[in-house]
Amino acid sequence: MSEKAPVPKRDEYPHFCEIQTRWHDNDVYQHVNNVIYYSFFDTAVNEHLISSGVLDIATSSAIGLVIETQCQYFSSVSFPDKVTVGLKVVHLGNSSVRYETALFRNADNEAAALGRFVHVYVDRQTNRPVPIPAPVRKVLQSIYRD
């Protein structure tokens, strides 16, 4: 059996995205359903790229497609909690980037969940891999932590 990973803390992340949970995020067990966590991670990554000016979802010629996601849960979140998603880059390749995301409930310092999220950059028209564009790479390097 593998050893349990340590619970991430807020100070391990250089960028944050705040998200309000919604009534319909809760499932029949009265906590945010697991699939919603992936939406939170996707929102945080793309919010950072858009707000940094390196992603235009309608016109960018190179786009990041998700090829892998993973989530480890530590504690539950429920509506009307506010969540803060911590974001960092842990690997930056030629055409791929691996993000680590941590979801913090309200003002908690310890993460409720830890996510891993991989983008491969492709040409929008051909869907063939391309090198990460220089402006995107610069933004990603600014949140790189190992």
Side-chain angles (χ1 to χ4, degrees), residues 29-135:
Y29 304 113
Q30 299 306 306
H31 64 264
V32 170
N33 189 270
N34 60 302
V35 300
I36 303 300
Y37 286 70
Y38 291 95
S39 174
F40 292 155
F41 300 152
D42 199 13
T43 296
V45 168
N46 287 293
E47 176 276 332
H48 182 57
L49 296 172
I50 292 166
S51 68
S52 296
V54 296
L55 174 61
D56 182 319
I57 59 173
T59 64
S60 291
S61 60
I63 56 173
L65 297 183
V66 177
I67 64 155
E68 179 183 332
T69 59
Q70 179 183 7
C71 188
Q72 182 177 8
Y73 304 93
F74 301 108
S75 61
S76 63
V77 174
S78 299
F79 174 83
D81 290 333
K82 290 185 179 175
V83 296
T84 302
V85 181
L87 176 65
K88 65 182 175 181
V89 168
V90 295
H91 174 77
L92 191 55
N94 181 51
S95 62
S96 68
V97 55
R98 180 179 300 275
Y99 301 94
E100 184 178 293
T101 56
L103 192 142
F104 299 94
R105 180 183 166 271
N106 298 319
D108 291 354
N109 188 47
E110 290 191 340
L114 172 65
R116 292 171 184 87
F117 189 97
V118 178
H119 266 161
V120 168
Y121 276 80
V122 301
D123 177 273
R124 179 188 294 271
Q125 299 304 316
T126 66
N127 268 358
R128 301 296 305 154
V130 296
I132 297 170

